[in-house]
Amino acid sequence: MAANDVLTRDQIDAELAALPDWRFRLGGLAAALKCPTSAAALELFAAVGALAQEANHHPDVDWRYDTLFVALTSHDAGSKVTARDAALAKAISAAAREAGAAAHPELLRSVEIAMDSADFTAVAPVWAAALGFKAGEPDELKDPSGRLPTMWFQQTQTPNANRFHFDIHVPASEAQGVLAAVEAAGATLDRSNAPEFVIATDVQGNRLCICTEEGRDA
């Protein structure tokens, strides 16, 4: 299948309605699959690899003891979600059921590092050289290996005193629990941009954003 099979956000949501193990985040599909044992996780890892080879479409898989974190996106389509991703997600979920694995979407968290800057083009090359990152979108730097958090620059003529903040991406289905925990820990919450993101500020004035897939394009 060619790289013209990119799904719209409405199409992604329709696919996800039949994929309860999966969530849309950061331009891809993601699942956390917890197995009964570490050995079962390794067997599922091998099954995912076989499915990927058969489909000639390869996910990113992170094995952590009894849990596999699987991310699907189509690099040949500009790192967008395609019909191939949805088809492979269905196959992986079927393999997970056979392995006795259960989905744990509450484990799906990703971090991006944001920097306020009045002119990010003046500073981005320094960070790219230090981190070994490449330009992604015009205002972001990405790890070519996909291991480290994306760094993006928030263009503003009034940079915050704390120029850095974390964008912590969680599934929308889990966001309210995360926000309640953050607030209970002492943060104040600015919900004016919810549900896309909520700004949390700790007692020392440091900021972070709890972000979801809601309101985001495919």
Side-chain angles (χ1 to χ4, degrees), residues 109 168 170-201 208-212:
R109 301 196 191 192
I168 301 169
V170 304
S173 60
E174 315 302 317
Q176 292 309 311
V178 174
L179 289 169
V182 169
E183 190 170 32
T188 58
L189 302 181
D190 176 354
R191 298 176 181 267
S192 58
N193 294 286
E196 185 174 349
F197 65 92
V198 173
I199 302 170
T201 305
L208 58 87
C209 293
I210 302 297
C211 308
T212 78

Side-chain angles (χ1 to χ4, degrees), residues 102-150:
H104 282 263
E106 73 278 6
L107 300 178
L108 292 172
R109 301 196 191 192
S110 297
V111 175
E112 293 185 314
I113 301 171
M115 177 197 283
D116 282 5
S117 176
D119 179 14
F120 69 85
T121 62
V123 296
V126 173
W127 295 92
L131 293 165
F133 280 12
K134 304 295 183 184
E137 296 298 324
D139 61 351
E140 72 179 18
L141 300 173
K142 285 184 171 292
D143 178 4
S145 69
R147 295 183 308 110
L148 299 177
T150 293

Side-chain angles (χ1 to χ4, degrees), residues 48-169:
V48 171
L51 290 169
Q53 285 296 99
E54 181 180 350
N56 192 29
H57 191 55
H58 301 89
D60 292 329
V61 184
D62 183 6
W63 168 46
R64 299 289 168 164
Y65 186 61
D66 61 356
T67 303
L68 298 184
F69 296 87
V70 187
L72 281 162
T73 190
S74 294
H75 301 295
D76 63 347
S79 296
K80 301 289 187 179
V81 177
T82 65
R84 287 165 290 158
D85 296 310
L88 187 52
K90 291 184 178 75
I92 291 172
S93 285
R97 287 192 294 272
E98 291 182 9
H104 282 263
E106 73 278 6
L107 300 178
L108 292 172
R109 301 196 191 192
S110 297
V111 175
E112 293 185 314
I113 301 171
M115 177 197 283
D116 282 5
S117 176
D119 179 14
F120 69 85
T121 62
V123 296
V126 173
W127 295 92
L131 293 165
F133 280 12
K134 304 295 183 184
E137 296 298 324
D139 61 351
E140 72 179 18
L141 300 173
K142 285 184 171 292
D143 178 4
S145 69
R147 295 183 308 110
L148 299 177
T150 293
M151 182 174 182
W152 72 277
F153 300 90
Q154 185 164 273
Q155 184 84 19
T156 174
Q157 295 304 311
T158 57
N160 190 273
N162 296 305
R163 284 181 176 245
F164 283 102
H165 71 270
F166 285 179
D167 283 350
I168 301 169
H169 293 260

